Amino acid sequence: MLRILSAVPKITVTALIVLAIVNLLIGVILRYFVGAITDWLDVDPVPFTWVEEVGELSLAWLTLIGAAIGIQSRSHFTLTVFVHRLSPRAQLWIHCFNHALIAGVGVLAAWYGFKLCLLNRTLTTPGLQINLAWLYASSMVGGVLIAVYGLAVMISPPPRGEAGH
């Protein structure tokens, strides 16, 4: 069950990437091809303001969930110029401190995302009339995931080559 639950963010990000690509393709088709055809036929243009809204929502969710996945998989860039020269105990302390900071930033993002959801819950997007709280919920969900994954990496043993291993 835990393995299925941990796969949900990765499946979500995959679906969001597909959505963003299809949305971008639809936007290009509507802007350049359908727009040219409606101009040539002298008919009302096809509205496509919703394409930007879908792109903005998918990019926000993709970015924040993807950042959390990067923390979980330890694939974010790290620069170890000085730390590897310290004792294994100091390296472990720095490892824990760094991931505690990451978790703190996640909590901060989740808190402000929650506040923004409450502030914007009565507003909607102009094209699709989607509640703007959905946009800011991405920072809340992503922040919670970042905090959880940051704490999980903090308490798990560092990979080989890190913290004196």
Side-chain angles (χ1 to χ4, degrees), residues 9-47:
K10 293 176 183 174
I11 293 168
T12 303
V13 165
T14 303
L16 286 168
I17 289 171
V18 170
L19 174 66
I21 290 170
V22 169
N23 181 60
L24 184 63
L25 181 62
I26 290 170
V28 168
I29 290 170
L30 286 175
R31 176 171 282 131
Y32 294 106
F33 296 111
V34 176
I37 292 170
T38 56
D39 286 346
W40 183 69
L41 294 174
D42 198 26
V43 294
D44 289 337
V46 177

Side-chain angles (χ1 to χ4, degrees), residues 20-22 40-41 51 56 60 66 69 87 122 131 136 142 152 159 164-165:
I21 290 170
V22 169
W40 183 69
L41 294 174
V51 172
E56 182 180 342
I69 291 171
S87 69
T122 59
N131 190 322
Y136 298 110
H165 285 86

Side-chain angles (χ1 to χ4, degrees), residues 2 10 24 65 68 71 100 133 163:
L2 192 59
K10 293 176 183 174
L24 184 63
I65 295 173
I71 292 166

Side-chain angles (χ1 to χ4, degrees), residues 81-165:
V81 175
F82 174 69
V83 177
H84 69 283
R85 297 185 187 271
L86 299 175
S87 69
R89 184 179 172 125
Q91 289 181 34
L92 184 60
W93 187 87
I94 290 171
H95 167 81
C96 291
F97 180 74
N98 285 340
H99 288 89
L101 281 176
I102 289 170
V105 169
V107 168
L108 192 64
W111 172 249
Y112 279 103
F114 176 72
K115 288 175 72 172
L116 284 169
C117 284
L118 291 178
L119 184 66
N120 292 293
R121 70 181 180 267
T122 59
L123 302 174
T124 58
T125 61
L128 293 175
Q129 299 299 308
I130 296 173
N131 190 322
L132 268 181
W134 281 104
L135 175 64
Y136 298 110
S138 63
S139 61
M140 191 172 61
V141 171
V144 167
L145 285 173
I146 287 169
V148 168
Y149 291 159
L151 290 174
V153 171
M154 182 181 82
I155 62 174
S156 67
R160 192 159 197 75
E162 191 179 310
H165 285 86

Side-chain angles (χ1 to χ4, degrees), residues 1-11 69 72 149:
M1 183 66 178
L2 192 59
R3 192 178 331 169
I4 293 171
L5 189 62
S6 69
V8 170
K10 293 176 183 174
I11 293 168
I69 291 171
Q72 179 193 33
Y149 291 159

